[in-house]
Amino acid sequence: MYALYYFPGNASLLPHMMLREIGSPFELRLVDRAHNAQNSPEYLKLNPNGRIPVLIDGDLVLYETAAIALHLCDRHPESRLAPPPGSAERPLFYRWLVHLTNTPQAEYRSWFYPHEFVTDESAAATVKASAERRLNLIFDRVAEQLGSGPWLLGERFSAVDLYLFMLIRWGRAMPRPPRALAPLGALAERVLARPAVQAALEAEGLKPPIV
Ligand SMILES: N[C@@H](CCC(=O)N[C@@H](CS)C(=O)NCC(=O)O)C(=O)O
């Protein structure tokens, strides 16, 4: 049985939704961010970076959201959360996964935590404003490429759609939230209609408005 270290709505939401799509048994273990549990000695043994999520799979202790996503796809090919290796779509799946993890997800760090990027606290507002500008541009481009989709890989639903959904959700308080772009709003609705996603949101206690 898997164990997933999570905090509601954090990057752990992606593997959580995937585990529910897969239908494999798992245990959720809360990392209490209110008490900085992600930096406790016990948690740092699992992820020396002090970040959420961590997945436990037998003897394997795995961190990095995209790595966990790939591992779950590999372990459960029957769940069809990724195109099979060797298929024409597989490299496109890699491309989206890597883009989402190293571009919008990374950019969110400077929007949520601008103070980490400055030595002079008064500069934090500028860092946040410029992160917002870059995020808008990143989501504009994703929306253009998604078009009418319906999914990032066209007709085939995959884990990168769940990833994009989570990132759309994170921007719900932005002046121009990602959902305001029609292709992204439509994708979020399609993902929200999935029973596994609803179950994950409910288990994490996430209440509307979700995106
Ligand atoms: N690259 C990492 C980043 C994970 C990450 O930053 N997680 C956030 C929650 S969404 C976190 O753990 N924040 C706690 C902190 O910064 O102290 C991944 O994708 O797993």
Side-chain angles (χ1 to χ4, degrees):
M1 184 163 90
Y2 295 108
L4 178 66
Y5 286 82
Y6 85 110
F7 187 82
N10 279 197
S12 41
L13 182 58
L14 174 64
H16 185 186
M17 292 185 291
M18 291 179 68
L19 285 164
R20 290 192 186 262
E21 291 278 353
I22 290 164
S24 180
F26 64 95
E27 182 194 329
L28 282 176
R29 295 184 186 161
L30 180 71
V31 186
D32 188 359
R33 286 190 66 178
H35 293 97
N36 201 27
Q38 73 274 26
N39 288 311
S40 65
E42 302 78 44
Y43 191 76
L44 290 175
K45 278 188 207 140
L46 303 174
N47 182 351
N49 300 319
R51 298 288 178 83
I52 300 161
V54 166
L55 181 81
I56 310 290
D57 178 9
D59 291 337
L60 174 69
V61 179
L62 192 60
Y63 58 86
E64 284 300 334
T65 309
I68 294 170
L70 278 171
H71 178 65
L72 289 174
C73 291
D74 290 349
R75 291 271 273 127
H76 302 278
E78 74 291 345
S79 69
R80 298 175 55 83
L81 286 173
S87 66
E89 292 157 316
R90 183 78 174 194
L92 304 180
F93 175 79
Y94 291 144
R95 189 192 66 187
W96 276 117
L97 188 73
V98 172
H99 178 71
L100 294 176
T101 198
N102 77 7
T103 306
Q105 183 181 341
E107 198 63 71
Y108 267 124
R109 188 87 198 171
S110 47
W111 190 70
F112 279 117
Y113 308 106
H115 57 275
E116 288 182 355
F117 295 77
V118 299
T119 47
D120 170 0
E121 203 50 43
S122 69
T126 311
V127 167
K128 193 173 176 78
S130 73
E132 184 190 320
R133 212 171 49 205
R134 287 190 300 276
L135 278 166
N136 285 343
L137 191 60
I138 290 164
F139 281 116
D140 284 344
R141 289 177 177 154
V142 174
E144 270 166 36
Q145 291 174 80
L146 171 61
S148 53
W151 306 112
L152 283 172
L153 298 179
E155 292 301 322
R156 177 191 265 275
F157 169 76
S158 71
V160 289
D161 299 303
L162 297 172
Y163 210 146
L164 179 55
F165 166 77
M166 181 177 79
L167 297 172
I168 292 169
R169 178 173 189 278
W170 285 0
R172 67 197 179 283
M174 288 176 71
R176 191 208 67 181
R179 68 165 183 277
L181 297 169
L184 300 186
L187 179 125
E189 289 305 317
R190 283 191 281 273
V191 171
L192 266 172
R194 300 181 72 84
V197 171
Q198 283 296 329
L201 296 171
E202 194 182 323
E204 296 198 8
L206 301 173
K207 302 264 184 288
I210 298 294
V211 292

